[in-house]
Amino acid sequence: MPETSTPAEAPARPRRNFFSFGFALLYLFIACIIALAVLPPLLNVNRFKRRIVTSISTSLGRPVHLDSVTLVILPFPGFKLENFVVAEDPAFGSEPVIRANEVQATLRIPSLYSKKVEFSRISLKEPSINLVHAANGQWNVESILLKAAQISAAPTAQAKAGPDPRFPYIEATEARVNIKSGLEKLPFSLTEADFALWLPQPSQWRVRVSGKPTRTDTSASDTGVVSLEGTLGRAERFDLIPIDLSAEWKSAPLGEASRLLTGNDAGVRGELRLSAALRGTLGTSILKTSVDLRGLRRADFVPDRPINLRADCQATTGETLHALHEIRCSWPPPGDPTLLALTGDLPSLRDPASASFQLGTPGLPAATLLQWLRVASPRVSPDITATGTLTGSLSRTTAARRSVTSSGQLTLTPVILTGGPLGKTPIALGGATISSGSRADSFNLAPTSLALGGKEPATLEGSFDYVGYSLHLTGNLLPTRLLALAAAVPQFGDGLPALFLPPSAPQPPPSKELPIHVDLTSVRTWNGGQSWSRTTPTKPTHAKTHRR
């Protein structure tokens, strides 16, 4: 009889069919992955190129060029644009506004089933961006912002499509932002920059930028990080666009920061942190800034106590961020007793010489001035103490036709210097007054008494300007007291010892030293040497006769 299958053997054939079907699905899945990875670059999607270029050009109001469009499936469907270029308005030059070798545009998958194709994200890799400031004060991005403001768009994070297309999340990584003044490219730029722009609300963009400030004509390297974040609104005019922006420059060594700002190392060390907030419109807004300096000192030595200070400022911007009005700065910040206050007006940021300002103090301790002098020079004795207070104000006014006038005065109450090279005998400086001179940006030191051991105090007077200063010392004094003051405050005493007995010469005992009358003049340029000279021959105030 023929053999019959047993009930236990019946399920074997379906099991083999199941495994065969599973392997077929696996092979099909692998084939699909390979196809998704390999085929898109081979597909001809350049027929979409004109539609993409037209859409972006219409949105930006500028001609757009790109070499090719490639379909991308993984990890998300979209397009890869190669050699993407946004052309410049001819009024600002011929160099493109934006140039990126590669742009990735990610599709919103649900929009494929509607008439409007939307992108969820547009990513620019290592783009080069040019910001151009024209001679008339306009920026090349003004028309782009106004064009974007005229296009209705739904928020970026909106879940479902609506009547208006959803604004994409636009980002750039490792970007370089160049700054141009007219056709001239300035040495300033922002490198290694990351940028993001999206629409959290229908009428409000949010922007975030961070990068490393650089200056190409210097060796500045470690310049800290600049970051900016905030919102931009919609308006019919550029100057009416609402803004709420916060910026920060942190972790900037002062030496590198000075190279960045001025092109040279200012010879200072420490760390700078600068923060700013701007609220209002691009035409008129309130600017608040805070400057924090930590460990401020000279580069060539480390003082016992470097300076730590913070100053806050507030101003009203005008002329589309080209002017600062009602400037008010205070150190320390409000809340603590003010030591220094600055008020002023800057009609044009492009012309700093147009500024008018007033600098004043309700009471700056002489001890603080002495501490600043110690930070400025290692030669000031750390054992010197000073009493007294500086009060008053000085102002500089720029009127029409560039005429500059200075006015005001600073008064230093009587100062007592003790300790250090002065020994147990203090030196008293009478009340000193510094007032504006006859020439713009010049100041005069009114005759000030200086007790240096004579029967009557000597008199010190001088003048200062942007080139340097000159001092005139006349009257009766003990040479040892004058040289002690020169040792205590070397900036004042540079060159004085050479006018008196050399150190190797025998010095009379203090009890037998006689006052002499001097008439001395010194001249010094800032950051230069000082020289003292005799205006009239030095002579003793008491003559001795000897009988035979």
Coordinates of all heavy atoms in Angstrom, one line a residue, residues 107-175:
L107 N 12.1 67.9 2.5 CA 10.7 68.1 2.2 C 9.8 67.7 3.4 O 10.2 66.9 4.3 CB 10.3 67.1 1.1 CG 10.7 67.5 -0.3 CD1 10.6 66.4 -1.3 CD2 9.9 68.7 -0.8
R108 N 8.7 68.4 3.5 CA 7.6 68.0 4.5 C 6.8 66.9 3.7 O 6.1 67.2 2.7 CB 6.7 69.1 4.8 CG 7.4 70.2 5.7 CD 6.4 71.3 6.1 NE 7.0 72.4 6.7 CZ 7.2 72.5 8.1 NH1 6.7 71.5 8.8 NH2 7.7 73.5 8.6
I109 N 6.9 65.6 4.2 CA 6.3 64.5 3.5 C 4.8 64.7 3.2 O 4.3 64.5 2.1 CB 6.6 63.2 4.2 CG1 8.1 63.0 4.2 CG2 5.9 62.0 3.5 CD1 8.6 61.7 5.0
P110 N 4.0 65.1 4.3 CA 2.6 65.3 4.0 C 2.3 66.3 2.9 O 1.2 66.2 2.2 CB 2.0 65.8 5.3 CG 3.0 65.3 6.3 CD 4.3 65.4 5.7
S111 N 3.2 67.3 2.6 CA 2.9 68.3 1.6 C 3.0 67.7 0.2 O 2.5 68.3 -0.7 CB 3.9 69.4 1.7 OG 5.2 69.1 1.4
L112 N 3.6 66.5 0.1 CA 3.6 65.8 -1.2 C 2.3 65.5 -1.8 O 2.1 65.3 -3.0 CB 4.5 64.6 -1.1 CG 6.0 64.8 -0.8 CD1 6.7 63.5 -0.6 CD2 6.7 65.6 -1.9
Y113 N 1.3 65.4 -0.8 CA -0.1 65.0 -1.3 C -1.0 66.2 -1.5 O -2.2 66.1 -1.6 CB -0.7 64.1 -0.2 CG 0.1 62.8 0.0 CD1 1.0 62.7 1.1 CD2 -0.1 61.7 -0.8 CE1 1.8 61.6 1.2 CE2 0.7 60.6 -0.6 CZ 1.6 60.5 0.4 OH 2.3 59.4 0.6
S114 N -0.3 67.4 -1.4 CA -1.1 68.6 -1.6 C -0.5 69.4 -2.8 O 0.5 69.0 -3.4 CB -1.1 69.5 -0.4 OG 0.3 70.0 -0.1
K115 N -1.1 70.5 -3.1 CA -0.7 71.3 -4.3 C 0.6 72.1 -4.0 O 1.3 72.5 -4.9 CB -1.8 72.2 -4.8 CG -3.0 71.4 -5.3 CD -4.1 72.4 -5.8 CE -5.3 71.7 -6.4 NZ -6.3 72.6 -6.9
K116 N 0.8 72.3 -2.7 CA 1.9 73.2 -2.2 C 3.0 72.3 -1.6 O 2.8 71.7 -0.6 CB 1.5 74.2 -1.2 CG 0.5 75.2 -1.8 CD 0.0 76.2 -0.7 CE -0.8 75.4 0.4 NZ -1.3 76.4 1.4
V117 N 4.2 72.2 -2.3 CA 5.3 71.5 -1.7 C 6.1 72.4 -0.8 O 6.5 73.5 -1.1 CB 6.2 71.0 -2.9 CG1 7.4 70.3 -2.3 CG2 5.5 70.1 -3.8
E118 N 6.2 71.9 0.5 CA 6.9 72.7 1.5 C 8.1 72.0 2.0 O 8.3 70.7 1.9 CB 5.9 72.9 2.7 CG 4.6 73.6 2.4 CD 3.8 73.7 3.6 OE1 4.3 73.5 4.7 OE2 2.6 74.1 3.5
F119 N 9.1 72.8 2.4 CA 10.3 72.3 3.0 C 10.3 72.5 4.5 O 10.0 73.6 5.0 CB 11.6 73.0 2.4 CG 11.8 72.7 0.9 CD1 11.3 73.6 0.0 CD2 12.3 71.5 0.5 CE1 11.5 73.4 -1.4 CE2 12.5 71.3 -0.8 CZ 12.1 72.2 -1.8
S120 N 10.7 71.5 5.3 CA 10.8 71.7 6.7 C 12.1 72.3 7.2 O 12.1 73.0 8.2 CB 10.5 70.3 7.4 OG 11.6 69.4 7.0
R121 N 13.1 72.1 6.5 CA 14.5 72.5 6.9 C 15.3 72.8 5.6 O 15.3 72.0 4.7 CB 15.1 71.5 7.8 CG 16.5 71.9 8.3 CD 17.1 70.8 9.2 NE 16.3 70.5 10.3 CZ 16.6 71.0 11.5 NH1 17.6 71.8 11.7 NH2 15.8 70.7 12.6
I122 N 16.0 73.9 5.7 CA 17.0 74.2 4.6 C 18.4 74.4 5.3 O 18.5 75.3 6.1 CB 16.6 75.5 3.8 CG1 15.3 75.2 3.1 CG2 17.7 75.9 2.8 CD1 14.7 76.5 2.4
S123 N 19.3 73.6 4.9 CA 20.6 73.6 5.6 C 21.7 74.0 4.6 O 21.9 73.4 3.6 CB 21.0 72.3 6.2 OG 20.0 71.9 7.1
L124 N 22.5 75.1 5.0 CA 23.6 75.5 4.2 C 24.9 75.1 4.8 O 25.1 75.4 6.0 CB 23.6 77.1 4.0 CG 22.4 77.7 3.2 CD1 21.2 77.9 4.0 CD2 22.9 79.1 2.6
K125 N 25.7 74.5 4.1 CA 27.0 74.0 4.6 C 28.2 74.9 4.2 O 28.4 75.1 3.0 CB 27.3 72.6 4.2 CG 26.3 71.5 4.7 CD 26.7 70.1 4.3 CE 25.6 69.1 4.8 NZ 26.0 67.7 4.4
E126 N 28.9 75.5 5.2 CA 30.0 76.3 5.0 C 29.7 77.5 4.0 O 30.5 77.6 3.0 CB 31.2 75.5 4.6 CG 31.6 74.4 5.6 CD 32.8 73.7 5.1 OE1 33.4 74.0 4.0 OE2 33.3 72.7 5.8
P127 N 28.6 78.2 4.2 CA 28.4 79.3 3.2 C 29.3 80.5 3.5 O 29.8 80.7 4.6 CB 26.9 79.6 3.5 CG 26.7 79.3 4.9 CD 27.6 78.1 5.2
S128 N 29.4 81.3 2.5 CA 30.1 82.6 2.6 C 29.1 83.7 2.4 O 28.4 83.7 1.4 CB 31.2 82.8 1.6 OG 31.8 84.0 1.7
I129 N 28.9 84.6 3.4 CA 27.9 85.6 3.4 C 28.5 87.0 3.4 O 29.4 87.2 4.3 CB 26.9 85.5 4.6 CG1 26.3 84.1 4.6 CG2 25.8 86.5 4.6 CD1 25.5 83.7 5.9
N130 N 28.1 87.9 2.6 CA 28.6 89.3 2.5 C 27.6 90.3 3.0 O 26.5 90.3 2.5 CB 29.1 89.6 1.1 CG 30.3 88.9 0.7 OD1 31.3 88.7 1.4 ND2 30.3 88.4 -0.5
L131 N 27.9 91.0 4.1 CA 27.1 92.1 4.5 C 27.8 93.4 4.1 O 28.9 93.7 4.4 CB 27.0 92.1 6.1 CG 26.3 90.9 6.7 CD1 26.3 91.1 8.2 CD2 24.9 90.8 6.2
V132 N 27.0 94.2 3.3 CA 27.6 95.4 2.6 C 26.9 96.6 3.2 O 25.7 96.7 3.3 CB 27.4 95.3 1.1 CG1 28.1 96.6 0.5 CG2 28.0 94.1 0.6
H133 N 27.7 97.6 3.7 CA 27.2 98.8 4.2 C 27.6 99.9 3.2 O 28.7 100.2 3.0 CB 27.8 99.1 5.5 CG 27.2 100.3 6.2 ND1 27.9 101.4 6.6 CD2 25.9 100.5 6.6 CE1 27.1 102.3 7.2 NE2 25.9 101.8 7.2
A134 N 26.6 100.5 2.6 CA 26.8 101.5 1.5 C 27.1 102.9 2.1 O 26.8 103.1 3.3 CB 25.6 101.6 0.6
A135 N 27.6 103.8 1.3 CA 27.9 105.1 1.8 C 26.7 105.9 2.2 O 26.8 106.8 3.1 CB 28.6 105.9 0.6
N136 N 25.5 105.6 1.7 CA 24.3 106.2 2.1 C 23.7 105.7 3.4 O 22.6 106.1 3.8 CB 23.2 106.2 0.9 CG 22.9 104.7 0.6 OD1 23.3 103.8 1.2 ND2 22.1 104.6 -0.4
G137 N 24.4 104.7 4.0 CA 23.9 104.2 5.2 C 23.1 102.9 5.1 O 22.7 102.3 6.2
Q138 N 22.7 102.5 3.9 CA 21.9 101.3 3.7 C 22.7 100.0 3.8 O 23.9 100.0 3.4 CB 21.1 101.4 2.4 CG 20.0 102.5 2.4 CD 19.2 102.4 1.1 OE1 19.7 102.1 0.1 NE2 17.9 102.7 1.2
W139 N 22.0 98.9 4.2 CA 22.7 97.6 4.1 C 22.1 96.8 3.0 O 20.9 97.0 2.6 CB 22.4 96.9 5.5 CG 23.2 97.4 6.6 CD1 22.8 98.4 7.5 CD2 24.5 97.0 7.0 NE1 23.7 98.6 8.4 CE2 24.8 97.8 8.2 CE3 25.4 96.1 6.6 CZ2 26.0 97.7 8.8 CZ3 26.6 96.0 7.3 CH2 26.9 96.7 8.4
N140 N 22.8 95.9 2.5 CA 22.4 95.1 1.3 C 21.3 94.1 1.7 O 20.6 93.6 0.8 CB 23.5 94.4 0.7 CG 24.2 93.4 1.6 OD1 24.1 93.5 2.8 ND2 24.8 92.3 1.0
V141 N 21.1 93.8 3.0 CA 20.0 92.9 3.4 C 18.7 93.5 3.7 O 17.7 92.9 4.0 CB 20.5 92.1 4.6 CG1 21.7 91.2 4.3 CG2 20.8 93.0 5.8
E142 N 18.6 94.9 3.5 CA 17.4 95.6 3.8 C 16.3 95.1 2.9 O 15.1 94.8 3.4 CB 17.6 97.1 3.7 CG 18.4 97.7 4.8 CD 18.5 99.2 4.7 OE1 17.6 99.8 4.1 OE2 19.4 99.8 5.3
S143 N 16.5 95.0 1.6 CA 15.5 94.7 0.7 C 15.1 93.2 0.9 O 13.9 92.8 0.7 CB 15.9 94.9 -0.8 OG 17.1 94.1 -1.0
I144 N 16.0 92.3 1.3 CA 15.7 90.9 1.5 C 14.7 90.8 2.7 O 13.7 90.1 2.7 CB 16.9 90.1 1.7 CG1 17.8 90.1 0.5 CG2 16.6 88.7 2.2 CD1 19.1 89.4 0.6
L145 N 15.0 91.6 3.8 CA 14.1 91.5 4.9 C 12.7 92.1 4.6 O 11.7 91.5 5.0 CB 14.7 92.3 6.1 CG 16.0 91.7 6.7 CD1 16.5 92.6 7.8 CD2 15.7 90.3 7.4
L146 N 12.7 93.1 3.9 CA 11.4 93.7 3.5 C 10.6 92.8 2.6 O 9.4 92.6 2.7 CB 11.6 95.1 2.8 CG 12.0 96.2 3.7 CD1 12.2 97.5 2.9 CD2 10.9 96.5 4.8
K147 N 11.3 92.1 1.7 CA 10.6 91.2 0.8 C 10.1 90.0 1.6 O 8.9 89.6 1.3 CB 11.6 90.7 -0.3 CG 11.0 89.8 -1.3 CD 10.2 90.6 -2.3 CE 9.7 89.7 -3.4 NZ 8.8 90.5 -4.3
A148 N 10.8 89.5 2.5 CA 10.3 88.4 3.4 C 9.1 88.8 4.2 O 8.2 88.0 4.4 CB 11.5 87.9 4.2
A149 N 9.1 90.1 4.6 CA 8.0 90.6 5.4 C 6.7 90.7 4.7 O 5.6 90.7 5.2 CB 8.4 92.0 6.0
Q150 N 6.8 90.8 3.3 CA 5.6 90.9 2.5 C 5.0 89.5 2.2 O 3.9 89.5 1.6 CB 5.9 91.6 1.2 CG 6.4 93.1 1.5 CD 7.0 93.7 0.2 OE1 7.0 93.1 -0.9 NE2 7.4 95.0 0.3
I151 N 5.7 88.5 2.5 CA 5.2 87.1 2.1 C 4.5 86.5 3.4 O 5.1 86.4 4.4 CB 6.3 86.2 1.7 CG1 6.9 86.8 0.4 CG2 5.8 84.8 1.4 CD1 8.2 86.0 -0.1
S152 N 3.2 86.1 3.2 CA 2.5 85.5 4.3 C 3.0 84.1 4.5 O 3.2 83.3 3.6 CB 1.0 85.5 4.1 OG 0.5 86.8 4.0
A153 N 3.3 83.7 5.8 CA 3.8 82.4 6.1 C 3.3 81.9 7.4 O 3.0 82.7 8.3 CB 5.4 82.4 6.1
A154 N 3.1 80.6 7.5 CA 2.7 80.0 8.8 C 3.9 79.7 9.6 O 5.0 79.5 9.1 CB 1.9 78.7 8.5
P155 N 3.7 79.5 11.0 CA 4.8 79.2 11.8 C 5.5 77.9 11.4 O 4.9 77.0 10.9 CB 4.1 79.1 13.2 CG 2.9 79.9 13.1 CD 2.5 79.8 11.7
T156 N 6.8 77.9 11.7 CA 7.6 76.7 11.3 C 7.2 75.5 12.0 O 7.1 74.4 11.4 CB 9.1 77.0 11.7 OG1 9.5 78.2 11.1 CG2 10.0 75.9 11.3
A157 N 6.7 75.5 13.3 CA 6.4 74.3 14.0 C 4.9 73.9 13.9 O 4.4 73.0 14.5 CB 6.7 74.5 15.5
Q158 N 4.2 74.6 13.0 CA 2.8 74.3 12.8 C 2.6 72.9 12.3 O 3.2 72.5 11.3 CB 2.1 75.3 11.8 CG 0.6 75.0 11.6 CD 0.0 76.2 10.8 OE1 0.0 77.3 11.2 NE2 -0.4 75.8 9.6
A159 N 1.8 72.1 13.0 CA 1.7 70.6 12.7 C 1.0 70.4 11.4 O 1.5 69.5 10.6 CB 0.9 69.9 13.8
K160 N -0.1 71.0 11.1 CA -0.8 70.8 9.8 C -0.7 71.9 8.9 O -0.6 73.1 9.3 CB -2.3 70.5 10.2 CG -2.5 69.3 11.0 CD -4.0 69.0 11.3 CE -4.2 67.8 12.1 NZ -5.7 67.6 12.4
A161 N -0.8 71.6 7.6 CA -0.7 72.6 6.6 C -1.9 73.5 6.6 O -3.0 73.0 6.9 CB -0.5 72.0 5.2
G162 N -1.8 74.7 6.3 CA -2.9 75.7 6.2 C -2.9 76.5 5.0 O -2.2 76.1 4.0
P163 N -3.6 77.6 4.9 CA -3.7 78.4 3.7 C -2.3 78.9 3.3 O -2.0 79.0 2.1 CB -4.7 79.5 4.1 CG -5.4 79.0 5.2 CD -4.5 78.1 6.0
D164 N -1.5 79.3 4.3 CA -0.2 79.8 4.0 C 0.9 78.7 4.2 O 0.8 77.9 5.1 CB 0.2 81.0 5.0 CG -0.8 82.2 4.8 OD1 -1.2 82.4 3.6 OD2 -1.1 82.9 5.8
P165 N 1.9 78.7 3.4 CA 3.0 77.7 3.5 C 3.7 77.9 4.8 O 3.9 79.1 5.3 CB 3.9 78.0 2.3 CG 3.6 79.4 1.9 CD 2.2 79.6 2.2
R166 N 4.2 76.8 5.4 CA 4.9 76.9 6.7 C 6.4 77.3 6.4 O 7.0 76.8 5.5 CB 4.9 75.6 7.4 CG 3.6 75.3 8.1 CD 3.4 73.8 8.4 NE 3.2 73.0 7.3 CZ 3.0 71.7 7.3 NH1 2.9 71.1 8.5 NH2 2.8 71.0 6.2
F167 N 6.8 78.3 7.2 CA 8.2 78.8 7.0 C 9.2 77.8 7.4 O 9.1 77.2 8.5 CB 8.4 80.1 7.8 CG 9.7 80.9 7.5 CD1 9.7 81.8 6.4 CD2 10.8 80.7 8.3 CE1 10.9 82.5 6.2 CE2 12.0 81.4 8.0 CZ 12.0 82.3 6.9
P168 N 10.2 77.5 6.6 CA 11.2 76.4 6.9 C 12.1 76.9 8.0 O 12.3 78.1 8.2 CB 11.9 76.2 5.6 CG 11.8 77.5 4.9 CD 10.5 78.1 5.3
Y169 N 12.7 75.9 8.7 CA 13.8 76.2 9.6 C 15.1 76.3 8.8 O 15.6 75.3 8.2 CB 13.9 75.0 10.6 CG 15.0 75.3 11.7 CD1 14.6 75.9 12.9 CD2 16.3 74.8 11.5 CE1 15.6 76.1 13.9 CE2 17.2 75.0 12.5 CZ 16.9 75.6 13.7 OH 17.8 75.8 14.7
I170 N 15.7 77.5 8.7 CA 16.9 77.8 7.9 C 18.1 77.8 8.8 O 18.1 78.5 9.8 CB 16.7 79.1 7.2 CG1 15.5 79.1 6.3 CG2 18.0 79.4 6.3 CD1 15.2 80.4 5.5
E171 N 19.1 77.0 8.5 CA 20.3 77.0 9.3 C 21.5 77.0 8.4 O 21.5 76.6 7.2 CB 20.3 75.7 10.2 CG 20.3 74.4 9.4 CD 20.3 73.2 10.3 OE1 20.4 73.4 11.5 OE2 20.3 72.1 9.8
A172 N 22.6 77.4 9.0 CA 23.9 77.4 8.3 C 25.0 77.0 9.4 O 24.9 77.4 10.5 CB 24.3 78.8 7.8
T173 N 25.9 76.2 8.9 CA 27.0 75.7 9.8 C 28.3 76.0 9.2 O 28.5 76.0 8.0 CB 26.8 74.2 10.1 OG1 26.9 73.5 8.8 CG2 25.5 73.8 10.8
E174 N 29.3 76.4 10.1 CA 30.6 76.7 9.7 C 30.6 77.8 8.6 O 31.4 77.7 7.6 CB 31.4 75.4 9.1 CG 31.6 74.4 10.2 CD 32.5 74.8 11.3 OE1 33.6 75.5 11.0 OE2 32.3 74.6 12.5
A175 N 29.8 78.8 8.9 CA 29.7 79.9 7.9 C 30.8 80.9 8.1 O 31.4 81.0 9.2 CB 28.3 80.5 8.0

